[in-house]
Amino acid sequence: MRLADEGAMMALGAKLAGVLRAGDVVTLSGPLGAGKTTLARGLLAALGLEGEAPSPSYAIVQSYAPPEVRLPVLHVDLYRIEDEAELYELGLDDARHDGALLVEWPERVGEYWFRDALRLTLSVGQDGARGLTVEVPAAWEGRWPLT
């Protein structure tokens, strides 16, 4: 899939919000500046977040809960994670029971952490457009592709 600009990234995030459920995990991979956080911002805005969502790069986890959004979401950035054991301290497994996880840089930890995730991988084209590659797990069948 080709995403021509930031507006297309935000629109994809909004469509994703329309099918997101408690227990879902969406991973966002790609190089720095590919648009991972932009896509997450589009999703969060469609869930009801007013204002701009900060990047979780330094906080590692940014949480959102009703009434701020219609569904609890943890926006996680694993770029600074150096040891997988740190994930236990973040309580990500517990958070999945009530809400959804958006995880940037999932490749920093083992694949078993997010094996049932909808995996979105962004690339940057020479023209600045983004390419999107998607791996769809069984839990997302019937919800992807987005309409």
Side-chain angles (χ1 to χ4, degrees), residues 15 24 27-28 39 52-53 56 78 85 90 108 111 117 128-130:
K15 285 183 179 180
D24 283 342
T27 62
L28 304 166
L39 194 149
E52 188 169 321
L78 300 180
L90 298 176
R108 302 280 296 159
E111 287 199 24
R130 296 335 192 229

Side-chain angles (χ1 to χ4, degrees), residues 8-143:
M9 296 287 289
M10 296 287 287
L12 176 63
K15 285 183 179 180
L16 191 55
V19 297
L20 194 68
R21 301 176 187 159
D24 283 342
V25 177
V26 177
T27 62
L28 304 166
S29 296
L32 287 170
K36 296 178 294 293
T37 300
T38 299
L39 194 149
R41 286 178 175 147
L43 183 146
L44 290 164
L47 289 177
L49 183 66
E50 295 181 14
E52 188 169 321
S55 170
S57 293
Y58 293 100
I60 299 177
V61 176
Q62 188 71 39
S63 63
Y64 302 92
E68 185 176 38
V69 290
R70 73 165 174 80
L71 172 74
V73 175
L74 288 185
H75 184 189
V76 183
D77 186 323
L78 300 180
Y79 187 76
R80 296 185 314 121
I81 295 293
E82 295 186 19
D83 185 339
E84 288 185 38
E86 294 176 60
L87 266 65
Y88 292 108
E89 296 173 20
L90 298 176
L92 300 182
D93 282 340
D94 293 334
R96 289 180 67 177
H97 297 292
D98 298 322
L101 299 178
L102 294 178
V103 182
E104 296 187 33
W105 300 98
E107 57 277 1
R108 302 280 296 159
V109 299
E111 287 199 24
Y112 62 89
W113 279 96
F114 310 113
R115 64 183 161 266
D116 60 343
L118 176 67
R119 297 177 185 275
L120 307 180
T121 303
L122 296 163
S123 61
V124 182
Q126 290 182 347
D127 63 353
R130 296 335 192 229
L132 175 69
T133 304
V134 182
E135 292 179 46
V136 182
W140 280 83
E141 288 178 11
R143 293 189 280 163

